[in-house]
Amino acid sequence: MSNKRWTLTLICLFILFLYVFIQFIWTTRQMEGAVESLDKRVSLNEEPLHFILIAQEFDNPYWRKIEKGAKDAAKEFQVEVEYVAPLRTSVEEQMKLLEKAIASKVDGIIVQSLDEETFTPIINKAMSKNIPIITIDTDAKGSKRLSYVGTDNFAAGQLLGKTVVDMTSGEHKIGVIIGSESSDNQQERLDGFLSVIQQDPRFEVVNVEVSNISRIQASIQAEIMLRKFPDISIMVGTSALDAIGMTVAVKNLQRSDVQIFGFDDVEETITAIKKGEISATIIQRPYEMGYVAVQLMVKHLKGQPIPNVYFTSSKKIDASNVQMEVTP
Ligand code: BGC
């Protein structure tokens, strides 16, 4: 009898084991299926690609145009573009945003290289982790970034110099305000400008200061400069808000004899050209920069070749053609 009970217990245990085993196999199969279909979705790219665009300053009107171009391209190519930037320009803050983007394993990063020396190792780190980087507006030439989309800044600086030569007569002392000391685009524009101006004995550049891309700083620096060098009769700005800042300084000091030349076509600059407060500006194509950067990133991720450098154009705008120029 006891033997019979034992046999019965063993049979029951065996059936129980079989039931648990079958359940286990079935659940495992189901889980494998779920993972497989998730993998398939990712490899088929059903999740939209996610790019991060890191700007120099969040609410800067020039960068907002880049953002608009990037977002329009995102809609067209069905990807996501996240626009991030420090509230006020800061190399450290921008670097933190870049590190964060790398850590969050986004599909691609579009970034302005505000300081080539500092940015190059981080750009290279991203590339080594298979996160593609495209530089925008300011390049990091020595890095392993995929491509640069933006102005040929030396050539744009030369155009600024040529504009000053063509639109002035007689001898002049010049004061220059650049947006940033660290970024290559500002240095290249200054070099291009000087390469033209220094060929002409009519001109002497007496002072170069930095605005930190702030219109208030540009106006303060311009006012200090005009007090220190009252014989300055031409002022030149190489970033988007410098010339506007200069108009304020010139008004404060009642120096209507000073001619101002600037960069970019933010609304106030266009208005000031119409009013005759700014003589001319060299415009860039920020909307196109944003659009093309996203387009190239998508192409690259589809395995198509993209150019190492994509220069967007620049152009002189003055009273003669300001009415015709409408840029998004
Ligand atoms: C420059 C940008 C800069 C902006 C600032 C533009 O001219 O290309 O690098 O961030 O001015 O307002």
Side-chain angles (χ1 to χ4, degrees), residues 29-314:
R29 280 274 155 82
Q30 271 204 328
M31 273 171 67
E32 275 173 354
V35 171
E36 223 174 74
S37 88
L38 195 72
D39 278 354
K40 232 186 244 162
R41 262 183 61 208
V42 173
S43 72
L44 284 176
N45 253 334
E46 282 175 17
E47 294 285 320
L49 294 168
H50 185 129
F51 303 155
I52 292 204
L53 164 61
I54 305 174
Q56 182 168 2
E57 195 175 70
F58 196 79
D59 219 7
N60 185 296
Y62 169 85
W63 282 98
R64 287 297 200 179
K65 289 186 183 195
I66 293 187
E67 180 198 12
K68 171 102 177 47
K71 292 265 167 83
D72 282 356
K75 242 183 247 155
E76 170 136 10
F77 301 110
Q78 290 165 18
V79 297
E80 273 171 13
V81 170
E82 195 182 333
Y83 173 78
V84 297
L87 285 181
R88 277 290 299 130
T89 177
S90 148
V91 177
E92 291 73 33
E93 288 294 313
Q94 221 174 345
M95 291 244 302
K96 275 189 209 156
L97 290 170
L98 184 53
E99 291 278 14
K100 209 169 138 196
I102 297 170
S104 66
K105 299 198 175 89
V106 286
D107 298 303
I109 300 173
I110 299 165
V111 64
Q112 177 213 32
S113 161
L114 194 48
D115 179 349
E116 175 153 10
E117 219 180 290
T118 326
F119 276 65
T120 295
I122 311 179
I123 291 176
N124 292 351
K125 179 169 96 180
M127 293 294 297
S128 73
K129 290 179 176 227
N130 279 329
I131 301 177
I133 298 247
I134 291 181
T135 48
I136 190 162
D137 173 76
T138 314
D139 198 6
K141 288 193 191 75
S143 74
K144 293 184 178 142
R145 87 320 180 247
L146 281 179
S147 182
Y148 162 68
V149 180
T151 302
D152 177 344
N153 286 296
F154 187 82
Q158 285 179 309
L159 181 58
L160 182 61
K162 211 177 153 311
T163 302
V164 169
V165 171
D166 292 346
M167 291 182 70
T168 59
S169 55
E171 295 189 347
H172 293 276
K173 300 245 190 304
I174 302 178
V176 180
I177 293 185
I178 61 171
S180 143
E181 248 168 348
S182 69
S183 73
D184 275 1
N185 69 346
Q186 298 298 301
Q187 200 52 57
E188 286 169 4
R189 284 176 204 175
L190 179 62
D191 291 347
F193 174 73
L194 294 176
S195 74
V196 173
I197 286 297
Q198 284 166 349
Q199 304 269 328
D200 193 323
R202 290 199 292 126
F203 301 107
E204 187 192 346
V205 174
V206 291
N207 198 205
V208 179
E209 294 295 342
V210 181
S211 67
N212 236 347
I213 71 160
S214 139
R215 102 188 51 198
I216 295 172
Q217 270 307 312
S219 107
I220 292 171
Q221 290 304 332
E223 197 163 329
I224 294 172
M225 205 185 270
L226 285 171
R227 285 185 195 280
K228 207 161 152 196
F229 304 95
D231 50 357
I232 283 179
S233 49
I234 289 177
M235 297 207 91
V236 168
T238 61
S239 76
L241 307 179
D242 298 338
I244 302 165
M246 288 167 179
T247 61
V248 177
V250 161
K251 273 184 210 154
N252 286 349
L253 297 174
Q254 296 173 345
R255 289 286 309 271
S256 54
D257 60 310
V258 176
Q259 264 183 280
I260 298 173
F261 296 86
F263 239 87
D264 298 304
D265 56 352
V266 301
E267 222 178 305
E268 288 154 283
T269 303
I270 295 301
T271 308
I273 290 181
K274 287 179 185 161
K275 285 192 192 159
E277 292 169 359
I278 293 178
S279 298
T281 187
I282 305 302
I283 64 164
Q284 308 184 76
R285 301 289 180 198
Y287 177 90
E288 189 186 341
M289 288 179 205
Y291 189 94
V292 171
V294 171
Q295 188 180 34
L296 292 185
M297 190 66 92
V298 171
K299 265 188 157 187
H300 168 75
L301 290 168
K302 282 185 179 163
Q304 295 166 13
I306 64 169
N308 186 259
V309 170
Y310 183 107
F311 282 142
T312 47
S313 63
S314 43

